Amino acid sequence: MSGPEAGLHSAGFWDTYWRGTHENAAHQEGGAQEPVLARFWEEFFRRELAARAEPAILDLACGNGAVTGHARRLVPELRVHCSDFSLSALLDLQRRYPGCPCVVADAAHPPLAAASFDLVVSQFGLEYAGTTALEEAAGLLAPGGVLALLVHVHEGAIYRECESNRDTVNALQSLNILGLAREAFAAGFALNRGECSPDEFRAAERAFTPAVRGLEQLLRDRGPTAAGGLLQQLYQDIAHMYRRMSAYEPDDILQWLAGLGAELGAYRGRMQSMLDAAWNQSTLDTLAERVLARGFRLVQRDQLAVTGSTLPAAWTLVLARD
Ligand SMILES: C[S@@+](CC[C@H](N)C(=O)[O-])C[C@H]1O[C@@H](n2cnc3c(N)ncnc32)[C@H](O)[C@@H]1O
């Protein structure tokens, strides 16, 4: 999906995620509790904050404030303006970093005054907002301002992990385990009420069993942490509910299954949006060139490597406005 609708769907996936409040959330997928990312921001803020008195700073597609957190560790009361299209992310950010002004906005069209910031930063965020977002962000910088980004690398370490997670959810969804669970639960309740025969119940259970075996195989193949632990949670929850079916109302079970389906869909959507957002070398060069043509100079364009992997974790892009 592309165009504005893709953005709207994506906002839903991300909001579902941030409603769960995950510390250091950007890094939970991609395996990157990466010191190399933290080092990049520490060095960036140490250098830029030392050079400026009371800079106006914007963290774009900020999530719950991973980058803002790096700046606040250096200057605890620093007011960083923060923007994301997920309200839940911003509410969490305001709890963690009180005093940071927040605006819910699509980074493709930030409703902020042109040339009003000294520093604009984004970590694994701006690339989600489409190919014009970099120019939009650059337009927010005052003369002498600096734009610093960490961007997902197409086929990099985080990309590969998101791809594997997405494929795991695809494999799970192809088992139709939630649909078959719904049938088996419904038959179980009907049996308890005397509204279906034991044979009908056993038929529903027989149809459900291969999906459960398929899930067990997926867990053996991909491990309990695959897809952010969702498979393992699903397996444990289904086993628990199935054993204790009579303790629940049928509507509770239906709602719970619908909730699991929505959670899986949002997770898959979020993984896919990361894959769609990643930049290859040519995208990076093309988009950077457009900004360089508008009176900016290149300070840094590089890749950060993940510890213990041959794959890069992120593009770095730092551009300064003359
Ligand atoms: C991978 S997370 C990174 C969050 C944060 N920068 C960090 O490093 O933890 C991507 C973030 O981009 C936000 N996002 C995605 N598309 C966006 C858009 N078009 N406009 C604004 N925010 C967006 C999501 O809500 C999410 O918070």
Side-chain angles (χ1 to χ4, degrees):
M1 190 187 301
S2 61
E5 277 184 25
L8 285 177
H9 277 79
S10 175
F13 303 146
W14 280 105
D15 208 60
T16 300
Y17 178 62
W18 289 117
R19 239 177 287 137
T21 306
H22 305 266
E23 292 287 314
N24 293 321
H27 315 288
Q28 287 185 344
E29 269 81 31
Q33 288 289 352
E34 270 300 316
V36 73
L37 307 181
R39 218 162 30 242
F40 171 85
W41 290 116
E42 276 159 25
E43 285 169 12
F44 173 80
F45 284 122
R46 212 176 280 286
R47 187 172 67 238
E48 295 300 333
L49 295 179
R52 298 160 196 275
E54 301 191 17
I57 309 174
L58 173 66
D59 182 357
L60 266 178
C62 56
N64 70 349
V67 178
T68 292
H70 292 303
R72 291 271 287 228
R73 269 186 284 285
L74 293 176
V75 182
E77 300 301 320
L78 193 68
R79 271 178 101 238
V80 179
H81 294 253
C82 293
S83 179
D84 197 285
F85 68 8
S86 160
L87 174 63
S88 303
L90 294 175
L91 291 174
D92 191 22
L93 186 146
Q94 282 187 320
R95 262 194 308 274
R96 300 173 75 200
Y97 306 112
C100 286
C102 289
V103 55
V104 176
D106 186 341
H109 314 284
L112 299 161
S116 59
F117 291 96
D118 301 298
L119 303 175
V120 174
V121 297
S122 184
Q123 169 172 277
F124 305 136
L126 192 82
E127 63 269 42
Y128 288 88
T131 51
T132 56
L134 182 62
E135 284 170 280
E136 291 285 337
L140 299 174
L141 277 177
V146 177
L147 174 65
L149 308 176
L150 292 185
V151 177
H152 286 307
V153 180
H154 186 76
E155 302 191 342
I158 294 175
Y159 183 99
R160 287 295 179 218
E161 188 166 341
C162 290
E163 190 176 47
S164 158
N165 286 333
R166 182 212 48 195
D167 292 347
T168 298
V169 175
N170 283 350
L172 178 69
Q173 288 177 326
S174 73
L175 296 170
N176 186 26
I177 190 163
L178 295 178
L180 293 163
R182 205 164 31 241
E183 309 269 305
F185 277 110
F189 283 118
L191 182 69
N192 290 345
R193 289 193 304 267
E195 290 172 5
C196 91
S197 69
D199 278 353
E200 284 169 309
F201 170 66
R202 275 193 290 275
E205 232 186 8
R206 265 199 309 279
F208 180 38
T209 303
V212 175
R213 298 286 165 262
L215 173 55
E216 287 168 344
Q217 188 61 47
L218 271 179
L219 278 167
R220 273 194 297 278
D221 292 346
R222 304 185 188 210
T225 59
L230 271 180
L231 264 60
Q232 177 77 359
Q233 185 200 324
L234 180 75
Y235 185 68
Q236 284 170 348
D237 284 2
I238 287 182
H240 174 83
M241 304 288 258
Y242 207 68
R243 273 197 304 270
R244 306 195 59 235
M245 200 186 307
S246 54
Y248 296 94
E249 292 297 321
D251 279 354
D252 294 341
I253 299 277
L254 285 180
Q255 259 179 30
W256 161 74
L257 286 169
L260 279 176
E263 196 178 341
L264 273 175
Y267 181 85
R268 190 201 174 284
R270 199 160 50 77
M271 292 301 110
Q272 185 62 51
S273 76
M274 288 179 171
L275 300 176
D276 296 341
W279 289 0
N280 59 23
Q281 177 82 54
S282 142
T283 308
L284 176 79
D285 289 345
T286 307
L287 299 183
E289 279 310 319
R290 287 187 202 158
V291 176
L292 291 170
R294 292 175 44 181
F296 280 74
R297 101 193 114 73
L298 182 65
V299 178
Q300 186 180 349
R301 176 174 52 191
D302 216 337
Q303 282 188 334
L304 295 179
V306 183
T307 318
S309 166
T310 52
L311 295 173
W315 296 109
T316 63
L317 183 63
V318 183
L319 300 163
R321 185 170 171 195
D322 292 332

